[in-house]
Amino acid sequence: MPEPTVVLDKVRRYWEYAGADVDRADELYHDDAVLEFPQSGERFEGVASFTEWRRQYPAEVRYRVRRITAREDLAVVEVSASYNGGPWQYGVQLLEFRDDKVARERIYVTEGWEAPEWRARWRSATPADPPA
C-alpha cells in the first residue's frame, strides 16, 4: 500500500492536467480501472474506455480544486466544476487505490443551494468553504 504522501502527489499531479491531457491517465489508473457516476448509474470499465470518453467530451469544463484528502488507499477530491461557462457546481471524486494506481473512481456532481433560514441559529458564522 502506498504512503499517503505518494497518493497525494499523484492526485495533485493529475489535477494539474485535469481536462487538458487525458493521455496522462496511464500515470494514475490501472488498465482495468472502473469509473462510476452513481447519480446517472453509469459505469465505465477499463481506463481505455473512459480515457476515450473524456477525449470526446463535448463541453468545455473548468475546475477549481477545493481540497484533496489522501490516505493509504483512498483520495477524496473536492472540486467545483463549470460546464461551458455555466454556473459552478460542487463535485466529489473518490479515488480508490490498488498499489500505486487508481482501481476505482466515483464522481458525484451537484448544484449548490441556499441554506434554509430555520437552521441559522445553530450554524457558525464561519462558512464551510469560501464561495466557489
Side-chain angles (χ1 to χ4, degrees), residues 15-27:
W15 278 98
E16 287 176 21
Y17 299 100
D21 190 353
V22 295
D23 293 319
R24 291 185 180 270
D26 64 336
E27 294 178 15

Side-chain angles (χ1 to χ4, degrees), residues 38-115:
Q39 291 170 293
S40 65
E42 293 174 288
R43 178 182 171 100
F44 300 87
E45 297 178 348
V47 70
S49 70
F50 60 81
T51 298
E52 187 58 27
W53 171 85
R54 285 176 166 155
R55 187 176 286 113
Q56 301 296 322
Y57 198 76
E60 174 198 352
V61 185
R62 294 185 328 190
Y63 298 99
R64 294 179 183 158
V65 176
R66 301 168 70 84
R67 180 179 298 119
I68 300 173
T69 305
R71 300 294 185 261
E72 293 83 10
D73 63 348
L74 177 70
V76 177
V77 184
E78 299 172 56
V79 300
S80 293
S82 172
Y83 300 87
N84 289 327
W88 289 94
Q89 297 183 33
Y90 294 90
V92 175
Q93 175 192 47
L94 305 174
L95 299 164
E96 296 177 26
F97 281 76
R98 181 177 71 232
D99 302 320
D100 64 341
K101 291 188 176 188
V102 173
R104 181 176 177 195
E105 176 179 9
R106 291 175 65 86
I107 298 175
Y108 296 86
V109 180
T110 187
E111 295 178 5
W113 63 85
E114 287 292 320

